[in-house]
Amino acid sequence: MHRILRHALVMTFDVRRVICQSPRPELNAGKETMNPLNALAATDPDLVTMIAAEEARQFYTAKLIPSENYASCAVMEATGTVLTNKYSEGYAFKRYYEGQQFIDQIETLAIERAKSLFGAEHVNVQPYSGSPANLAVYTGLIPRDAANQRILGLGLPAGGHLTHGWKVSATSRFFQAAQYGVDPTTHLLDFDAIRAQALEFNPAILICGATAYPRVIDFARFAEIAQECGALLVADMAHIAGLVAGGVHPSPVPHADAVTTTTHKTLRGPRGGMILCKQQHAATIDRAVFPGLQGGPHNHTTAGIAVALKEAATHEFRMYAHQIVANSRALAEVLQAEGLPLATGGTDNHLILFDATALGATGKQASKAMDQAGLEANFNSIPFDRRSPFDPSGVRIGTPSLTSRGLKEAEMAHIGKWIADAIRGREDANVLARVRGEVFDLMAQFVPPGFVRPYPERP
Ligand SMILES: *Cc1c(COP(=O)(O)O)cnc(C)c1O
């Protein structure tokens, strides 16, 4: 029952006893199981109960949220170490505290791995997450006294991120922000329109990248537009970093002045952020992160990032990235066959945005029904949605997590059918319970990374 203790304590006492389970159950037979350790239970049993419940939830539900994933045991062990005890303001070999010899090695290792994996000239691994990374880049690239403080990014309703200048984000408070959209009929980025708007608005920074865009992003085309209007190009690859690392999405790195990313989405690391940039921007961007916006880096997270980057450089990870897209395409086909229209008519990446109203449900009703049926997703505006963002027409799903568990195209057929069943049967408790049972049965056969025996009891 106190499964969490393995992660909480293992690293202090018995690192070698953690056995990472393969997502393929047949490979796990006979492997040693972990001894639950009890420090957290002794200190805070209430918390342990809550974490154990969350573990069971994550184990048995089909996690379809495209921005989530399952970090490996190795990543989680790294994040649960004594590295959390250390202050390291500054950068390697230029710190404001003593005792940095090992921290410097760890941060340098993470940086070197990121540079080599993505072919970047300069990397900063200190941003606390994706949003702070974006603010740091804008702050670094736009001098305080510059006449031009304008940023132009994809609007939230069209699939952009809050931090691309959306009105409730601080990025629109500190900079003059405008937003481009997508084509009203194809839902695709319309580069002629973006070019025209960029030439008219004349931004200091053109931002590309998205949080709900199911197609390949043409970073080279964005670079041309940025160059033509004299803007710097920032590419936010938070959602697709793992696809870029795995070679199934073109890289923004050669095209953009700076690339930001989270580390916990398709890249499958701990929660964190990174900035990759051209050498000419290295100093200003580093200064914007620290001391501009942040204090001490989260060294335990940096270590987890280093592990994730090592994992992402393997052949297995390339296969993983390919399978994410293969699964996404397979799932998209099933959903369409079930009568659910997809934004842009399909997918090229890990993400699918479907219009639930075709089955008579709002996005909120659909995602609620799916949740009751063990299918975890989030409601989302579709481009040119007539409904409010609080109860939009769409549901956003994706395949990174299920693919991490080892599910393939054959299982996507079930998942797609269950999604449609849950939405159609949203008012029928029997249907929702039946689907939930089937989802849990299937999930129990595909152990996620990061879970070791004994597995959680079925909730
Ligand atoms: C997730 C995401 C972010 C923000 O990341 P947080 O870690 O949640 O701050 C930024 N940009 C894009 C495109 C994202 O998808």
Side-chain angles (χ1 to χ4, degrees):
M1 117 145 200
H2 300 321
R3 302 183 58 262
I4 179 62
L5 301 174
R6 285 188 309 271
H7 301 312
L9 296 164
V10 148
M11 15 351 238
T12 355
F13 300 129
D14 206 359
V15 171
R16 280 151 301 170
R17 294 213 48 207
V18 175
I19 308 291
C20 250
Q21 298 288 304
S22 162
R24 287 169 55 200
E26 70 274 16
L27 298 182
N28 297 324
K31 278 205 179 164
E32 194 180 353
T33 61
M34 279 307 304
N35 230 357
L37 299 169
N38 290 313
L40 186 56
T43 304
D44 199 340
D46 294 342
L47 182 65
V48 167
T49 306
M50 295 171 201
I51 298 174
E54 172 63 10
E55 281 190 326
R57 197 191 65 75
Q58 288 195 16
F59 191 89
Y60 287 100
T61 56
K63 195 206 279 266
L64 287 160
I65 295 175
S67 48
E68 294 186 3
N69 214 326
Y70 295 99
S72 68
C73 288
V75 165
M76 287 195 290
E77 279 178 34
T79 62
T81 57
V82 298
L83 300 178
T84 195
N85 297 336
K86 190 75 194 110
Y87 246 110
S88 311
E89 283 176 347
Y91 291 97
F93 316 111
K94 291 169 291 203
R95 306 278 188 185
Y96 293 84
Y97 293 76
E98 299 309 322
Q100 307 293 349
Q101 48 276 48
F102 307 115
I103 299 295
D104 283 353
Q105 286 176 19
I106 291 165
E107 189 171 314
T108 304
L109 183 66
I111 290 169
E112 290 307 318
R113 284 180 179 167
K115 279 162 100 172
S116 124
L117 182 64
F118 291 108
E121 291 176 17
H122 178 79
V123 172
N124 186 312
V125 293
Q126 293 192 7
Y128 297 143
S129 213
S131 302
N134 282 345
L135 189 53
V137 164
Y138 310 153
T139 311
L141 293 182
I142 301 183
R144 176 204 285 265
D145 52 3
N148 185 349
Q149 299 278 335
R150 289 186 290 277
I151 60 173
L152 177 63
L154 180 62
L156 190 76
H161 193 260
L162 287 162
T163 56
H164 296 184
W166 190 242
K167 50 189 176 246
V168 298
S169 161
T171 53
S172 75
R173 176 161 160 188
F174 301 137
F175 301 95
Q176 278 169 266
Q179 320 261 242
Y180 55 87
V182 291
D183 181 87
T185 45
T186 63
H187 300 163
L188 298 173
L189 292 167
D190 174 351
F191 286 103
D192 293 335
I194 295 167
R195 176 177 172 272
Q197 192 178 352
L199 288 170
E200 159 93 38
F201 184 64
N202 184 30
I205 294 177
L206 175 62
I207 307 157
C208 58
T211 195
Y213 188 70
R215 296 295 184 172
V216 164
I217 295 174
D218 186 346
F219 295 117
R221 186 77 183 88
F222 270 110
E224 280 171 24
I225 294 172
Q227 190 157 38
E228 202 182 343
C229 65
L232 295 170
L233 182 67
V234 172
D236 179 348
M237 63 169 182
H239 258 258
I240 57 168
L243 304 184
V244 171
V248 295
H249 191 291
S251 174
V253 173
H255 305 292
D257 292 280
V259 175
T260 56
T261 186
T262 55
T263 49
H264 48 272
K265 298 181 182 173
T266 48
L267 201 54
R268 218 160 62 179
R271 305 199 81 76
M274 288 197 298
I275 301 167
L276 298 71
C277 68
K278 303 280 186 228
Q279 195 58 46
Q280 69 189 105
H281 304 302
T284 47
I285 286 182
D286 282 353
R287 271 201 301 277
V289 175
F290 173 85
L293 288 161
Q294 299 190 170
H298 293 180
N299 297 313
H300 55 303
T301 301
T302 305
I305 291 173
V307 176
L309 291 166
K310 183 173 187 186
E311 292 175 348
T314 59
H315 175 67
E316 287 70 27
F317 195 89
R318 292 184 83 82
M319 305 286 290
Y320 165 60
H322 277 88
Q323 192 65 47
I324 289 176
V325 176
N327 282 351
S328 186
R329 291 225 166 94
L331 183 54
E333 271 180 35
V334 181
L335 293 174
Q336 283 176 310
E338 291 288 341
L340 286 165
L342 310 185
T344 77
T347 179
D348 299 328
N349 61 16
H350 63 301
L351 183 144
I352 297 166
L353 191 56
F354 67 78
D355 183 352
T357 62
L359 296 186
T362 68
K364 205 176 197 171
Q365 287 167 342
S367 55
K368 186 103 220 133
M370 286 170 61
D371 188 51
Q372 286 167 346
L375 300 155
E376 190 186 358
N378 64 278
F379 62 80
N380 210 103
S381 296
I382 54 173
F384 302 94
D385 207 324
R386 290 205 202 87
R387 304 186 52 85
S388 104
F390 303 104
D391 188 7
S393 302
V395 176
R396 189 184 72 146
I397 60 174
T399 54
S401 296
L402 294 184
T403 309
S404 287
R405 300 180 74 140
L407 278 74
K408 298 225 161 76
E409 290 91 331
E411 288 80 28
M412 292 304 122
H414 297 296
I415 299 283
K417 179 83 173 45
W418 289 331
I419 290 172
D421 286 354
I423 298 173
R424 285 202 192 88
R426 63 190 174 279
E427 262 142 38
D428 186 337
N430 291 328
V431 171
L432 298 177
R434 191 259 303 161
V435 174
R436 181 183 165 90
E438 289 174 345
V439 169
F440 282 18
D441 286 345
L442 184 69
M443 291 305 120
Q445 295 171 42
F446 292 90
V447 177
F451 281 74
V452 293
R453 292 175 200 276
Y455 301 135
E457 278 172 41
R458 195 161 163 150

